[in-house]
Amino acid sequence: MSGEIFAGFRVLGFDLETTGFDVRRERIVEYALVGSEVDGSRINLQSLVNPGKRIPIDSTNVHGIKDVDVKNSGDFSEHITNISRMIEGAIIVGHNVIKFDWKFLEMECLRAGVEVPRPRAIIDTYVIARKLKIPGRHTLGILCDKYGINLENAHRADADAGATLYLLWEIMKSYPRFFRGTIDDLQDSLAGIRNQDILGPSLVDLEPVSGSGGNLRINNSNIVIAFGKYKGRTLEEIKKKDSRYLKWLFSPSSPIPKSVSEEYSRKYLN
């Protein structure tokens, strides 16, 4: 998954198929997590799940999964360890994921008596499409058609999860300004805290601090770090959030040249 905003994170498309729509009564029958690791290596975790109840014919007509298909697939408790390992700390991308898929995952974790995994962020392409007021209906199928994405085997978890990643990429190319800033900026914007006009310039648009090799950049009166886990954050923010990291940043083991480190350490470490 390309895109400066997601650099340094595991990025996964996430989708579920279920026995129905009522999160309190229905169960998961299939899940998929597809995408890439931080190093770019491919991830494809998917499986059928035995829901412990009959799959209604109306649901089978949507996703094609029958009782016989899930008979030997194990119940959700047998899958949660692998699911949690992948989701923990990752950027999760889904279509209507916040109101549907994630709610089902939370309920299944509650039933299994395990903690809900904690992703770094959940990015919902349905919410993005509405936020950007993309013309037309915002179903996954219609949006994929609009952006020329081939959605074969629609309503199977792996196909929908993969298509959602491609959809996000196409939207990012069409609306690049909306995705400038950090992952936290994007989440704030989707939550209505900020809007796309104040997400700020891209790091590549900011003037580098002289002698920093581009690792530090100037945004008005603020100095912004352009690499690592706090990429896109100001030194003032890092000072308040993680003073140990700031000390490392100005240490000899940091990629910041010594002359620049000495200048800024006097200001931010005292």
Side-chain angles (χ1 to χ4, degrees):
M1 186 75 186
S2 301
E4 180 180 288
I5 194 171
F6 298 124
F9 295 106
R10 181 188 306 128
V11 182
L12 298 171
F14 176 50
D15 189 76
L16 300 175
E17 300 302 329
T18 66
T19 58
F21 295 103
D22 188 336
V23 69
R24 295 167 298 180
R25 298 172 55 188
E26 306 299 346
R27 306 297 293 269
I28 294 171
V29 297
E30 186 180 40
Y31 66 87
L33 287 157
V34 300
S36 60
E37 253 306 349
V38 175
D39 62 4
S41 57
R42 182 173 173 77
I43 293 172
N44 190 337
L45 177 66
Q46 57 179 303
S47 179
L48 293 169
V49 179
N50 189 331
K53 61 179 293 185
R54 294 187 65 83
I55 302 173
I57 186 63
D58 288 346
S59 297
T60 296
N61 288 340
V62 173
H63 48 56
I65 301 171
K66 303 176 182 178
D67 293 326
V68 66
D69 299 324
V70 300
K71 182 179 179 180
N72 299 314
S73 298
D75 64 22
F76 179 80
S77 65
E78 297 180 43
H79 298 271
I80 184 56
T81 299
N82 289 333
I83 293 172
S84 293
R85 177 172 52 84
M86 282 297 169
I87 288 179
E88 196 76 22
I91 306 294
I92 299 300
V93 181
H95 197 75
N96 200 29
V97 62
I98 294 173
K99 290 188 175 181
F100 184 79
D101 306 82
W102 198 257
K103 295 297 184 185
F104 267 91
L105 180 63
E106 288 178 329
M107 183 58 73
E108 291 283 19
C109 287
L110 180 63
R111 292 190 185 105
V114 298
E115 290 188 7
V116 179
R118 295 168 296 180
R120 176 61 178 80
I122 300 176
I123 306 301
D124 194 323
T125 50
Y126 175 76
V127 175
I128 290 174
R130 289 177 60 85
K131 181 79 173 180
L132 293 174
K133 298 181 180 179
I134 295 174
R137 294 176 61 200
H138 298 142
T139 66
L140 181 59
I142 289 175
L143 286 168
C144 283
D145 284 343
K146 179 181 180 65
Y147 286 99
I149 299 167
N150 184 17
L151 181 53
E152 294 184 359
N153 297 320
H155 298 297
R156 289 303 299 262
D158 58 337
D160 287 359
T164 302
L165 282 180
Y166 282 115
L167 175 60
L168 177 61
W169 174 237
E170 292 298 329
I171 293 175
M172 288 173 68
K173 290 194 294 183
S174 298
Y175 299 86
R177 183 171 175 79
F178 189 75
F179 297 92
R180 291 182 174 181
T182 67
I183 192 66
D184 294 316
D185 291 328
L186 178 59
Q187 288 199 110
D188 287 350
S189 178
L190 294 176
I193 298 173
R194 302 182 185 179
N195 63 51
Q196 66 193 74
D197 295 324
I198 58 173
L199 283 178
S202 169
L203 286 174
V204 297
D205 296 330
L206 299 178
E207 179 185 354
V209 170
S210 178
S212 73
N215 289 312
L216 297 177
R217 294 179 178 265
I218 303 169
N219 186 10
N220 297 320
S221 61
N222 296 311
I223 303 300
V224 178
I225 186 172
F227 70 96
K229 68 177 182 178
Y230 291 120
K231 183 177 181 179
R233 298 294 186 92
T234 68
L235 294 183
E236 283 290 350
E237 289 177 309
I238 299 171
K239 181 179 180 179
K240 295 175 182 177
K241 183 181 181 66
D242 192 344
S243 59
R244 291 182 62 185
Y245 184 86
L246 196 64
K247 289 179 181 178
W248 170 83
L249 190 65
F250 297 132
S251 73
S253 59
S254 164
I256 305 295
K258 182 179 179 181
S259 59
V260 177
S261 294
E262 290 177 346
E263 177 183 352
Y264 285 96
S265 64
R266 287 193 293 270
K267 178 178 180 180
Y268 290 98
L269 295 182
N270 296 326

